[in-house]
Amino acid sequence: MAQQFDYLESESELRKILDGLYNIAKSAKTEGKRPNIKGLVELMASEITIVTAIHNIKSNKGSKTPGIDSKTMQKDYLEKTYEWVIEDIQNAFKKFIPQKIKRKYIEKPGKIEKRPLGIPSIRDRIVQECIRIVLEPILEAQFFNHSYGFRPMRDAQMAMQRLTDLVQKTGYYWVIEGDISKCFDKINHGMLIKRLYHMGIKDRRVLQIIKVMLKAGIAGECEINEDGTQQGSIISPILANAYMDKLDEWLSKQWENKSTKFNYSIQWGKMSSLRNRTNLMPAYLVRYADDFCVITDSRKHAEFLKNKIQEFLCDNMKLNLSKEKTLITDIRKNYIHFLGYEYKMVKGKAKKGYITRTLPDRNRLKSKVNSICDEIKNIHVHSSKEQVIHNINLINSKIRGLINYYSNCSWINVTMQKFAHRVSIVASRRLKEYKGAWIPANETQNLSNIHLDYKQKIPSIKYGDIYVGVTSLAFCKWERIFQKNQKENPFTEVGRQIYFKRTKKKRKNARLDEILNEKTSMLISYGLTDKNYNFEYYMNRAYALNRDQLKCRCCGKWLYTDTLYTHRINPHLPINKLNKVSNLASMDKKCFELVRNTNADINHLEIRVRKKIQKFRERLENNIRITV
């Protein structure tokens, strides 16, 4: 079936189509089939998809890193005219010729070898993001329930919880710690394209673009890349998951997804029958990218499964297990190391006599703590107090990030205590220069939601009448993590509601493109306005309107197609700051003109409206004086 996609007028319409693609793929999988989806290039190359892709990329820190052509997102796309940007990306889809990949090496935590990253050009990144946006719902609907890496609304904590639940419910304590040797570098392009086709991507134009993209040479290394997907590229994670889904499908069909004559309504009922009525080897898979665990009931079965997995990877995927890192462990005796965690079962009061003990991987945590201590030591000797407080905030952010990542560990307090003292001593020595002191955490004024619960003293500095402290690694609590709800996903309304309820995050609204003034939109698209009305203005105008909740910032009236005007709070900023959302205010025509015409009489307006207009006028006049 070839899909026909109408001209999209808003991001809301794009979301509906993506939801529809997910439903098509999910329905096919439920029926034991695969989807058959064509006509995808038109959707990928639509204006709304391109605008969405650029917004996604520009909000990422990596967007500031240029590729081999030295072009940047801000200067070479956001500051260009709307028409030029859209046409440039659409032309790329018509005949895609990728530029070479820029290679960069970054250090791996606690390891000597470095991780190779590939940095495509900005243009290629935009094309990749357009492809990712459309492919994701199709593939997400078909991926294995218990792969967690590089997938929306999933994380490492969920993978660890799945491992815990399996061990506790089954009483199986033998674990294969799987690690695929150089997985990203060894992915076979031909097999990957076949896998995408098998999973319903039947638009051969898309497959050809992906193939050419994968073959892009690496600057200074090779003209054509024969194998692998470049780590660091936008599309690499979803392609790697599609490739690894072959392993997921094969291994899960050996046990978890084993087809049976009787249709069981409860999964654990099926597992119980397989255990009691067959001689099959139990094998539960939990995968995160190229790292995975397989849980089984004996060393004999673990050895057999390890060999079978190696054979399958070699024969069907041209990959190999790492001999050094792929281990078989009895978790009643030794820890396994998985996703930066250490995991073991110890004797305790439980039905099966064992309880879970999880803690941060101590070697990795030590490396992270060393990095934090180095940052504290590197606070400049002659920094102002304002700069020191800024550095403290950055360091606190990293400390809290570590705590949040490991908050699901049952032994987080025990492990963090061992490292907390060192960080505090280093911070205390560094803050001596600024008359630092040990102050009870609940008396400091930063991180009040955390510090109010602790009386322990932390190194702090005084700023005016307040104290700002370096938080402690010891300020941590175990948090229970629940197993992933498989209905939670970004492509159904039910799935989105589950996500917002779980995370307490605010719903991200779609851009209100359809509300935009048609006349101004036309002028921008045809380049008939000055250079200040660039692509960034067109895109951020919609986000500003969304932020302002479709109402005028001055009078509060609802804004519609023929009433929306966008005021630049400071029209004299440099072009790279002029059209940021923070500098744009949505107004109706009347208020817009009253703000711009400072001599116009506003005494007839309500007091609240008058005050807001006057405030915008003052900011406008002050900014004019500053530039003069």
Side-chain angles (χ1 to χ4, degrees), residues 16-61:
K16 288 179 182 178
I17 289 177
L18 297 180
D19 289 357
L21 291 174
Y22 179 89
N23 288 331
I24 291 170
K26 195 70 175 178
S27 297
K29 187 182 180 184
T30 303
E31 295 171 4
K33 302 175 184 176
R34 293 286 185 175
N36 183 1
I37 304 174
K38 300 179 181 179
L40 294 175
V41 165
E42 287 74 19
L43 182 56
M44 293 171 179
S46 70
E47 291 182 27
I48 298 302
T49 307
I50 293 170
V51 173
T52 301
I54 291 174
H55 178 78
N56 292 348
I57 296 171
K58 83 177 183 67
S59 60
N60 190 309
K61 292 180 181 179

Coordinates of all heavy atoms in Angstrom, one line a residue, residues 16-61:
K16 N -0.3 13.7 13.9 CA -1.4 12.8 13.5 C -0.9 11.7 12.5 O -1.3 10.5 12.7 CB -2.6 13.6 13.0 CG -3.4 14.4 14.0 CD -4.5 15.1 13.4 CE -5.2 16.0 14.4 NZ -6.4 16.8 13.8
I17 N -0.2 12.1 11.6 CA 0.3 11.2 10.6 C 1.3 10.2 11.2 O 1.3 9.0 10.9 CB 1.0 11.9 9.4 CG1 -0.1 12.6 8.5 CG2 1.8 11.0 8.5 CD1 0.4 13.5 7.4
L18 N 2.2 10.7 12.1 CA 3.1 9.8 12.8 C 2.4 8.8 13.6 O 2.8 7.7 13.7 CB 4.1 10.7 13.6 CG 5.0 11.6 12.8 CD1 6.0 12.4 13.8 CD2 5.8 10.9 11.7
D19 N 1.4 9.3 14.3 CA 0.5 8.4 15.1 C -0.1 7.3 14.2 O -0.2 6.2 14.6 CB -0.6 9.2 15.8 CG -0.1 10.0 17.0 OD1 1.2 10.0 17.2 OD2 -0.9 10.8 17.6
G20 N -0.6 7.8 13.0 CA -1.2 6.8 12.1 C -0.2 5.8 11.6 O -0.5 4.6 11.5
L21 N 1.1 6.2 11.4 CA 2.1 5.2 10.9 C 2.4 4.2 12.0 O 2.5 3.0 11.8 CB 3.4 6.0 10.6 CG 3.3 6.8 9.3 CD1 4.6 7.6 9.2 CD2 3.1 6.0 8.1
Y22 N 2.4 4.7 13.3 CA 2.6 3.8 14.4 C 1.5 2.7 14.5 O 1.7 1.5 14.7 CB 2.7 4.6 15.7 CG 2.8 3.7 16.9 CD1 4.1 3.4 17.4 CD2 1.7 3.3 17.7 CE1 4.3 2.6 18.5 CE2 1.9 2.5 18.8 CZ 3.2 2.2 19.2 OH 3.4 1.4 20.4
N23 N 0.2 3.2 14.3 CA -0.9 2.3 14.4 C -0.9 1.3 13.3 O -1.3 0.1 13.5 CB -2.2 3.1 14.4 CG -2.4 3.9 15.6 OD1 -2.0 3.4 16.7 ND2 -3.1 5.0 15.5
I24 N -0.5 1.7 12.1 CA -0.4 0.8 11.0 C 0.6 -0.4 11.3 O 0.3 -1.6 11.1 CB 0.0 1.5 9.7 CG1 -1.2 2.4 9.2 CG2 0.4 0.5 8.6 CD1 -0.8 3.3 8.0
A25 N 1.8 0.1 11.7 CA 2.8 -0.9 12.0 C 2.5 -1.8 13.2 O 2.7 -3.0 13.2 CB 4.1 -0.2 12.3
K26 N 1.8 -1.2 14.2 CA 1.5 -2.0 15.4 C 0.4 -3.0 15.1 O 0.4 -4.2 15.5 CB 0.9 -1.0 16.5 CG 0.9 -1.7 17.9 CD 2.2 -1.9 18.4 CE 2.2 -2.5 19.9 NZ 3.6 -2.7 20.4
S27 N -0.6 -2.6 14.3 CA -1.7 -3.5 13.9 C -1.1 -4.7 13.1 O -1.5 -5.9 13.3 CB -2.7 -2.8 13.1 OG -3.3 -1.8 13.8
A28 N -0.2 -4.4 12.2 CA 0.4 -5.5 11.4 C 1.2 -6.5 12.3 O 1.1 -7.7 12.1 CB 1.4 -4.9 10.3
K29 N 1.9 -5.9 13.2 CA 2.7 -6.8 14.1 C 1.8 -7.7 15.0 O 2.0 -8.9 15.2 CB 3.6 -6.0 15.0 CG 4.6 -6.9 15.8 CD 5.5 -6.1 16.8 CE 6.4 -7.1 17.5 NZ 7.2 -6.4 18.5
T30 N 0.7 -7.1 15.5 CA -0.3 -7.8 16.3 C -0.9 -9.0 15.5 O -1.2 -10.1 16.1 CB -1.4 -6.9 16.8 OG1 -0.8 -5.8 17.5 CG2 -2.4 -7.6 17.7
E31 N -1.1 -8.8 14.2 CA -1.6 -9.9 13.3 C -0.5 -10.9 12.9 O -0.8 -11.7 12.1 CB -2.3 -9.2 12.1 CG -3.5 -8.4 12.5 CD -4.0 -7.6 11.3 OE1 -3.5 -7.8 10.2 OE2 -5.0 -6.8 11.5
G32 N 0.7 -10.7 13.4 CA 1.8 -11.6 13.0 C 2.4 -11.3 11.6 O 3.0 -12.1 11.0
K33 N 2.1 -10.0 11.1 CA 2.6 -9.6 9.8 C 3.6 -8.5 10.0 O 4.0 -8.1 11.1 CB 1.5 -9.2 8.9 CG 0.4 -10.3 8.7 CD -0.8 -9.7 8.0 CE -1.9 -10.7 7.8 NZ -3.1 -10.2 7.1
R34 N 4.0 -7.9 8.9 CA 4.9 -6.7 8.8 C 4.2 -5.7 8.0 O 3.4 -6.0 7.1 CB 6.2 -7.0 8.2 CG 7.1 -7.9 9.1 CD 7.6 -7.2 10.3 NE 8.6 -8.1 11.1 CZ 9.2 -7.7 12.2 NH1 9.1 -6.4 12.6 NH2 10.0 -8.5 12.8
P35 N 4.3 -4.4 8.3 CA 3.7 -3.3 7.6 C 4.3 -3.2 6.2 O 5.4 -3.7 5.9 CB 3.9 -2.1 8.4 CG 5.2 -2.3 9.2 CD 5.1 -3.8 9.5
N36 N 3.6 -2.5 5.3 CA 4.1 -2.3 3.9 C 3.8 -0.8 3.6 O 2.8 -0.4 3.2 CB 3.3 -3.2 3.0 CG 3.8 -3.0 1.5 OD1 4.8 -2.3 1.3 ND2 3.2 -3.7 0.6
I37 N 4.8 0.0 3.9 CA 4.6 1.5 3.9 C 5.5 2.1 2.8 O 6.8 2.0 2.8 CB 4.9 2.1 5.2 CG1 4.0 1.5 6.3 CG2 4.6 3.6 5.2 CD1 4.3 1.9 7.7
K38 N 4.9 2.9 1.9 CA 5.6 3.6 0.9 C 5.3 5.1 0.9 O 4.6 5.5 1.8 CB 5.3 3.0 -0.5 CG 5.6 1.5 -0.7 CD 5.2 1.0 -2.1 CE 5.5 -0.5 -2.2 NZ 5.1 -1.0 -3.5
G39 N 5.8 5.8 0.0 CA 5.5 7.2 -0.1 C 6.0 8.1 1.0 O 5.4 9.1 1.4
L40 N 7.2 7.6 1.6 CA 7.7 8.3 2.8 C 8.5 9.6 2.5 O 8.6 10.5 3.3 CB 8.5 7.3 3.6 CG 7.7 6.2 4.2 CD1 8.7 5.2 4.9 CD2 6.7 6.7 5.2
V41 N 9.2 9.6 1.3 CA 10.0 10.7 1.0 C 9.3 12.0 1.0 O 9.7 13.1 1.5 CB 10.8 10.5 -0.4 CG1 11.4 11.8 -0.9 CG2 11.9 9.5 -0.2
E42 N 8.0 12.0 0.5 CA 7.2 13.2 0.4 C 7.0 13.8 1.8 O 7.0 15.0 2.1 CB 5.9 13.0 -0.3 CG 6.0 12.8 -1.8 CD 6.6 11.5 -2.2 OE1 6.6 10.6 -1.4 OE2 7.1 11.4 -3.4
L43 N 6.7 12.9 2.8 CA 6.5 13.3 4.1 C 7.8 13.8 4.8 O 7.8 14.8 5.5 CB 6.0 12.1 4.9 CG 5.6 12.3 6.4 CD1 4.6 13.4 6.6 CD2 5.1 11.0 7.0
M44 N 8.9 13.1 4.5 CA 10.2 13.5 5.1 C 10.6 14.9 4.6 O 11.2 15.7 5.3 CB 11.3 12.5 4.8 CG 11.1 11.2 5.4 SD 12.2 9.9 4.8 CE 11.8 8.5 5.8
A45 N 10.3 15.2 3.3 CA 10.7 16.4 2.7 C 9.7 17.6 2.8 O 9.8 18.6 2.1 CB 11.1 16.2 1.2
S46 N 8.6 17.4 3.5 CA 7.6 18.4 3.6 C 8.1 19.6 4.5 O 9.0 19.4 5.3 CB 6.3 17.8 4.3 OG 6.5 17.5 5.6
E47 N 7.6 20.7 4.3 CA 8.1 21.9 5.0 C 8.0 21.7 6.5 O 8.9 22.1 7.2 CB 7.3 23.2 4.6 CG 7.5 23.6 3.1 CD 6.7 24.8 2.8 OE1 6.4 25.6 3.7 OE2 6.4 25.0 1.6
I48 N 6.8 21.2 7.0 CA 6.6 21.1 8.4 C 7.6 20.1 9.0 O 8.2 20.4 10.1 CB 5.2 20.6 8.7 CG1 4.2 21.7 8.2 CG2 5.0 20.4 10.2 CD1 4.4 23.0 8.8
T49 N 7.9 19.0 8.3 CA 8.9 18.1 8.8 C 10.3 18.7 8.9 O 11.0 18.5 9.9 CB 9.0 16.8 8.0 OG1 7.7 16.3 7.8 CG2 9.9 15.8 8.6
I50 N 10.7 19.5 7.9 CA 12.0 20.2 7.9 C 12.1 21.2 9.0 O 13.1 21.2 9.7 CB 12.2 20.8 6.5 CG1 12.3 19.8 5.4 CG2 13.4 21.7 6.5 CD1 12.3 20.3 4.0
V51 N 11.0 22.0 9.2 CA 11.0 22.9 10.3 C 11.1 22.2 11.6 O 11.9 22.7 12.5 CB 9.7 23.8 10.3 CG1 9.7 24.7 11.5 CG2 9.7 24.7 9.0
T52 N 10.4 21.2 11.8 CA 10.5 20.4 13.1 C 11.9 19.8 13.3 O 12.4 19.9 14.4 CB 9.4 19.2 13.0 OG1 8.1 19.8 12.9 CG2 9.5 18.4 14.3
A53 N 12.5 19.3 12.2 CA 13.8 18.7 12.3 C 14.8 19.8 12.7 O 15.7 19.5 13.6 CB 14.2 18.1 11.0
I54 N 14.7 20.9 12.1 CA 15.7 22.0 12.4 C 15.5 22.5 13.9 O 16.5 22.7 14.6 CB 15.5 23.2 11.5 CG1 16.0 22.8 10.1 CG2 16.3 24.4 11.9 CD1 15.8 23.8 9.0
H55 N 14.3 22.6 14.3 CA 14.0 22.9 15.7 C 14.6 21.9 16.7 O 15.2 22.2 17.7 CB 12.5 23.1 16.0 CG 12.2 23.4 17.4 ND1 12.4 24.7 17.9 CD2 11.8 22.7 18.5 CE1 12.1 24.7 19.2 NE2 11.8 23.5 19.6
N56 N 14.5 20.6 16.4 CA 15.0 19.5 17.2 C 16.5 19.6 17.3 O 17.1 19.4 18.4 CB 14.6 18.2 16.7 CG 13.1 17.9 16.8 OD1 12.4 18.6 17.5 ND2 12.6 16.9 16.1
I57 N 17.2 19.9 16.2 CA 18.6 19.9 16.1 C 19.2 21.2 16.8 O 20.1 21.1 17.6 CB 19.1 19.9 14.7 CG1 18.7 18.5 14.0 CG2 20.6 20.0 14.6 CD1 19.0 18.5 12.5
K58 N 18.6 22.3 16.6 CA 19.1 23.6 17.1 C 19.0 23.6 18.6 O 19.8 24.3 19.3 CB 18.4 24.8 16.5 CG 17.1 25.2 17.2 CD 16.5 26.4 16.5 CE 15.2 26.8 17.2 NZ 15.4 27.3 18.6
S59 N 18.1 22.8 19.2 CA 18.0 22.8 20.7 C 19.0 21.9 21.3 O 19.1 21.8 22.5 CB 16.5 22.4 21.1 OG 16.3 21.1 20.6
N60 N 19.7 21.2 20.5 CA 20.8 20.2 20.9 C 22.1 21.0 20.9 O 22.5 21.7 20.0 CB 20.8 19.0 20.0 CG 21.7 17.9 20.5 OD1 22.8 18.1 20.9 ND2 21.2 16.7 20.5
K61 N 22.9 20.7 22.0 CA 24.2 21.4 22.1 C 25.1 21.1 21.0 O 25.9 21.9 20.5 CB 24.9 21.0 23.4 CG 24.2 21.5 24.7 CD 24.9 21.1 25.9 CE 24.2 21.6 27.2 NZ 24.8 21.1 28.4

